Amino acid sequence: MTQKRALVVRGGWEGHQPVQATELFLPFLRDHGYLVRVEESTDVYADAAVMSGTDLVVQCVTMSQITSEQVAGLSAAVAAGTGLTGWHGGIADSFRASSDYLHLVGGQFASHPGKEPCERKGEAADNFLPHTVAFTAAGRDHPVTAGLEDFALDTEQYWVLHDDLIDVLATTTHPVRPWQPWHRPVTSPAVWTRRWGAGRIVVTTPGHSVDVLEHPPVRTIVERGMLWATRTASAS
């Protein structure tokens, strides 16, 4: 059996701990037989030789910039069968200026609503709210999320803008609050998959910090997502 190759690309905003967060999953990849390459730059996306031999890209790059050549290389690799996965801002809030990247992943972070203004202290926890991640009917049967129960978190709750090519496995609902301007509850995808050509994409929006990634259902989703997104035999 040919050894699978995983490319871990990390960087961008340090608040999402790109090194510590990705290091959490390297043993899992190696234990599952992947040859792992780690890059601290998206330059590798423009290297067709590397990308064509990559079975899975794990991306953790919040905000930052990407060139047209780099996003074209990533998109072409996924369309040819390379899997793409990531969590939180490392995949859903990457490369805000690139419409081509947004088109690839199918969803973009818009906000993480915060506490009531009088409760805020000027720290990251100002944006932590208790919320539930609820699995959809599709999610209860999908290999990435099957068997998991709805779960509660107290962390950033992503509000995501998205298209309807994504397959939503779990959602989270933003309630109406007196200090917020919206007038009815808003449900956002919290976990989704996407088919792009021969490739598979998995996006998990929880994952602001290492402790959230260590939460058992979140970690399970991320790890299963890596396995599911990996290039299949039919895309080889």
Side-chain angles (χ1 to χ4, degrees):
M1 180 181 294
T2 304
Q3 187 173 29
K4 295 292 187 181
R5 294 177 179 269
L7 173 64
V8 176
V9 181
R10 61 193 186 190
W13 186 58
E14 287 294 330
H16 282 155
Q17 304 171 284
V19 173
Q20 299 95 316
T22 52
E23 290 289 328
L24 184 66
F25 295 102
L26 297 188
F28 174 84
L29 289 168
R30 292 179 176 129
D31 288 348
H32 282 76
Y34 290 78
L35 181 63
V36 179
R37 173 171 176 166
V38 179
E39 292 287 339
E40 315 290 340
S41 165
T42 54
D43 290 348
V44 69
Y45 289 161
D47 188 328
V50 172
M51 297 304 293
S52 65
T54 296
D55 300 297
L56 174 68
V57 174
V58 179
Q59 180 182 283
C60 185
V61 184
T62 303
M63 296 181 280
S64 194
Q65 307 257 337
I66 193 167
T67 68
S68 58
E69 293 80 11
Q70 290 164 8
V71 76
L74 175 62
S75 185
V78 174
T82 299
L84 173 63
T85 192
W87 52 85
H88 202 61
I91 191 167
D93 188 23
S94 309
F95 323 127
R96 294 177 180 177
S98 175
S99 60
D100 289 338
Y101 176 79
L102 174 59
H103 195 208
L104 173 65
V105 298
Q108 172 65 52
F109 162 81
S111 181
H112 41 56
K115 293 182 169 67
E116 188 170 2
C118 65
E119 297 179 0
R120 299 177 190 179
K121 301 177 181 179
E123 57 191 26
D126 291 348
N127 297 313
F128 293 0
L129 292 174
H131 61 279
T132 299
V133 174
F135 294 101
T136 64
R140 297 194 182 282
D141 291 330
H142 196 280
V144 172
T145 46
L148 298 177
E149 299 294 332
D150 297 354
F151 60 95
L153 293 172
D154 191 348
T155 184
E156 289 183 349
Q157 182 185 20
Y158 265 21
W159 181 313
V160 174
L161 307 180
H162 58 95
D163 66 28
D164 67 359
L165 189 62
I166 67 174
D167 296 315
V168 180
L169 306 185
T171 64
T172 187
T173 298
H174 303 269
V176 175
R177 294 185 173 95
W179 63 93
Q180 302 289 11
W182 53 92
H183 305 284
R184 63 174 182 261
V186 178
T187 298
S188 282
V191 181
W192 73 83
T193 64
R194 186 174 182 87
R195 300 294 185 103
W196 198 255
R200 295 174 169 186
I201 300 169
V202 182
V203 177
T204 306
T205 65
H208 172 72
S209 51
V210 170
D211 64 301
V212 177
L213 291 167
E214 289 176 331
H215 195 278
V218 176
R219 186 165 190 162
T220 296
I221 293 166
V222 171
E223 291 177 344
R224 287 185 185 175
M226 292 174 179
L227 300 178
W228 184 84
T230 297
R231 183 191 306 273
T232 61
S234 62
S236 297

